[in-house]
Amino acid sequence: MPKSTKGGYMGRVTGDGTVGKALEVLDQVAAFGRPVRFGELLAQSDFPKPTLYRFVQTLTNQQMLAYDPERQTYTPGLRLVRLAHTAWDQSTLAPVARPHLDALSRAVGETVHLAQLDHAQVLYIDKRNANKPVQMYSQAGKVGPAYCTGVGKVMLAFLDEDAIESVIEQQSFHGFTEHTLDSADALRAELHDIRQNGYGFDREEHEPGIICVAMPILTSAGRVLGALSVTSTTSRTNLAGLEAYVPILRETADKITRDAQNWSFPDYQTKETTGI
């Protein structure tokens, strides 16, 4: 199976029988990011051809995959889109945070991100572009590494110690840039500093020229709900310039916490609620 250090398909991670295997195939199709032929799936699959074909046909029959007979390609299906929209509205911070993200975006004029942890990775769940947009990796719905993004690190920093170690064990420490943290010890030291300060930075760790200041979104009991960031470029500003946004980031995070506690995020933390 193909593996990705940039947030795509991560290989076989489930032992949940037939359902788990079918979901692996669905993940594999989605990871291509384009229409894909059966032969391409087979070339990168651990499943025998008959097994893979059976899963693909079942997913297509259930409208979880869509088949184009002219091009002979598969894409994620409309049923999956409907389910995704429902999950997005009911299981993420995005609906609660939307008005606060809008206000933050208007105030700072830079790119604003909202993210949550997805197991040991970062899931970007909303984004507002800068007044002068800059091309960057992050988009709503994309998954990114936790160890070298501002939002990822500030969320990791406020997990309990067991959860932190579990997440660290799952990081690849791939060197995206010369500034990427390259070891578990380096990440632990960074997380300690973030806990002391209450916020953190991306110092061109994921993409050259891209920097950010990030703030965790925590419940009153300290459980991690998500994170916010203000992102810019080294050609436009510097870390000191971004640090000036810490007060408004903290204020925005507090407002999201207030609204989220009246919604669907109970004030406790378990393995089931963190997904770690």
Side-chain angles (χ1 to χ4, degrees), residues 20-276:
K21 292 174 182 177
L23 290 175
E24 288 179 31
V25 175
L26 194 60
D27 281 343
Q28 187 186 2
V29 173
F32 275 86
R34 58 171 174 78
V36 58
R37 291 176 176 269
F38 180 81
E40 294 178 287
L41 293 174
L42 183 62
Q44 297 186 347
S45 176
D46 289 339
F47 297 126
K49 183 176 180 179
T51 302
L52 180 63
Y53 183 77
R54 184 172 71 252
F55 285 137
V56 168
Q57 288 302 109
T58 298
L59 290 167
T60 302
N61 292 340
Q62 293 298 317
Q63 298 182 324
M64 301 297 279
L65 291 179
Y67 179 65
D68 183 335
E70 292 186 5
R71 298 182 179 181
Q72 298 184 338
T73 56
Y74 294 89
T75 55
L78 290 178
R79 184 177 181 184
L80 184 62
V81 173
R82 291 194 296 270
L83 290 171
H85 278 297
T86 301
W88 205 258
D89 285 341
Q90 296 183 11
S91 303
T92 75
L93 278 174
V96 171
R98 188 171 295 123
H100 306 301
L101 217 62
D102 290 340
L104 177 62
S105 176
R106 289 192 297 268
V108 302
E110 296 283 3
T111 300
V112 172
H113 293 110
L114 177 68
Q116 289 178 250
L117 278 177
D118 180 12
H119 296 281
Q121 301 179 95
V122 168
L123 174 63
Y124 292 98
I125 60 173
D126 211 345
K127 178 180 180 179
R128 299 292 182 275
N129 285 318
N131 292 336
K132 295 181 179 179
V134 176
Q135 183 68 31
M136 60 184 75
Y137 170 83
S138 57
Q139 298 293 337
K142 277 196 172 183
V143 175
Y147 67 95
C148 61
T149 53
V151 286
K153 290 186 296 181
V154 298
M155 288 189 285
L156 299 189
F158 289 91
L159 297 175
D160 64 45
E161 291 299 325
D162 289 342
I164 289 175
E165 289 305 312
S166 174
V167 172
I168 288 176
E169 289 175 2
Q170 298 175 68
Q171 303 306 304
S172 66
F173 295 104
H174 170 77
F176 289 95
T177 76
E178 62 180 318
H179 303 288
T180 305
L181 298 177
D182 60 2
S183 70
D185 286 342
L187 178 57
R188 289 189 187 98
E190 176 86 353
L191 299 183
H192 177 268
D193 289 343
I194 291 171
R195 284 193 297 273
Q196 295 296 310
N197 294 329
Y199 58 92
F201 297 100
D202 176 346
R203 305 175 180 87
E204 299 184 77
E205 295 162 51
H206 190 210
E207 297 179 87
I210 303 297
I211 55 177
C212 89
V213 58
M215 179 73 61
I217 303 170
L218 308 173
T219 69
S220 57
R223 185 167 74 88
V224 177
L225 296 181
L228 286 166
S229 70
V230 175
T231 302
S232 191
T233 67
T234 53
S235 63
R236 184 179 295 173
T237 187
N238 53 33
L239 294 178
L242 289 179
E243 194 168 19
Y245 295 127
V246 165
I248 194 171
L249 269 174
R250 183 175 290 117
E251 179 184 352
T252 303
D254 289 345
K255 290 177 179 177
I256 294 172
T257 294
R258 178 200 65 203
D259 289 354
Q261 288 178 328
N262 295 323
W263 193 48
S264 61
F265 293 95
D267 209 358
Y268 61 86
Q269 180 172 338
T270 66
K271 181 176 180 180
E272 286 74 21
T273 58
T274 60
I276 296 171

